[in-house]
Amino acid sequence: ALNTLSLHDALPIYEWVRADAIKQGDLLPYALNTWTCVNVPKLAPITDVHLNSNFVKCPDEMNADLAYLLGAIFGDGSKHKAGMRISGCIDKMENMQKLAGIVIDQFGIHATFQTRKDSANSIDMYISCRDFSRFLENNGLMKQKSGDIEIPLAILGNDTQTVAMKAGAVAEG
């Protein structure tokens, strides 16, 4: 990530910072159509689905909706024993509903919502499925620790998907 330090002749001067040091308002420059990967790997399915799993299907390649979901997971998600949680705001419920729709469309899993007792405006979306987490892990799509977040290669191969991932992170961030 880059922080803008000053402007000189209308050109920003940037400083590299760790991802965990990014603050609201920092610039994250990305030039479209400057890097693409010719051989973006296909996504590997889960072949040993647990018998009690509600995991119905999985995409075989990256797409803009999956990239958007991953952006939200990377921005406000966390892994739990039974699956994933994405934190959000009741004020942005339309974004949470969009994410829930993507989870249904891409994986056949119905996410659940739960408000937080400690905050009147906070809501969490739970994707309660261990096989969903295993799918992300097996394909290198699991959220890393905040200071180590990288955009997965499966997303970098397509500018539309990269933008969709960033949009998902910004929508929930």
Side-chain angles (χ1 to χ4, degrees):
L2 300 169
N3 279 349
T4 303
L5 294 177
S6 63
L7 293 175
H8 177 67
D9 296 329
L11 295 173
I13 299 171
Y14 297 107
E15 171 191 13
W16 285 102
V17 298
R18 287 180 44 87
D20 57 356
I22 296 173
K23 299 181 295 290
Q24 187 171 359
D26 286 349
L27 297 176
L28 302 174
Y30 179 80
L32 295 178
N33 299 317
T34 58
W35 186 87
T36 56
C37 179
V38 177
N39 296 317
V40 176
K42 292 282 186 184
L43 298 176
I46 297 294
T47 56
D48 56 338
V49 176
H50 290 102
L51 294 177
N52 61 349
S53 177
N54 59 354
F55 193 76
V56 177
K57 59 182 179 175
C58 57
D60 61 353
E61 61 185 26
M62 184 58 60
N63 58 63
D65 282 344
L66 181 54
Y68 184 89
L69 174 64
L70 291 171
I73 290 172
F74 280 32
D76 286 313
S78 57
K79 182 180 175 186
H80 293 269
K81 185 177 181 180
M84 300 292 298
R85 177 184 76 191
I86 300 173
S87 299
C89 299
I90 292 175
D91 294 345
K92 296 182 180 182
M93 194 60 190
E94 65 278 357
N95 295 335
M96 299 296 279
Q97 293 290 351
K98 177 179 179 174
L99 292 169
I102 292 171
V103 172
I104 291 171
D105 291 344
Q106 299 286 314
F107 299 96
I109 301 168
H110 293 273
T112 58
F113 294 95
Q114 185 175 348
T115 57
R116 290 200 181 176
K117 296 175 186 173
D118 58 345
S119 176
N121 195 36
S122 295
I123 191 162
D124 293 326
M125 183 177 86
Y126 289 91
I127 306 168
S128 298
C129 179
R130 287 185 214 145
D131 287 327
F132 173 75
S133 296
R134 287 181 47 235
F135 172 79
L136 297 180
E137 288 171 358
N138 289 353
N139 286 288
L141 303 173
M142 185 57 78
K143 177 183 178 176
Q144 303 92 2
K145 295 190 184 313
S146 294
D148 301 324
I149 290 179
E150 298 176 350
I151 298 176
L153 179 61
I155 294 173
L156 278 175
N158 183 306
D159 288 327
T160 302
Q161 294 164 180
T162 304
V163 171
M165 182 182 186
K166 290 179 182 181
V170 169
E172 295 309 311

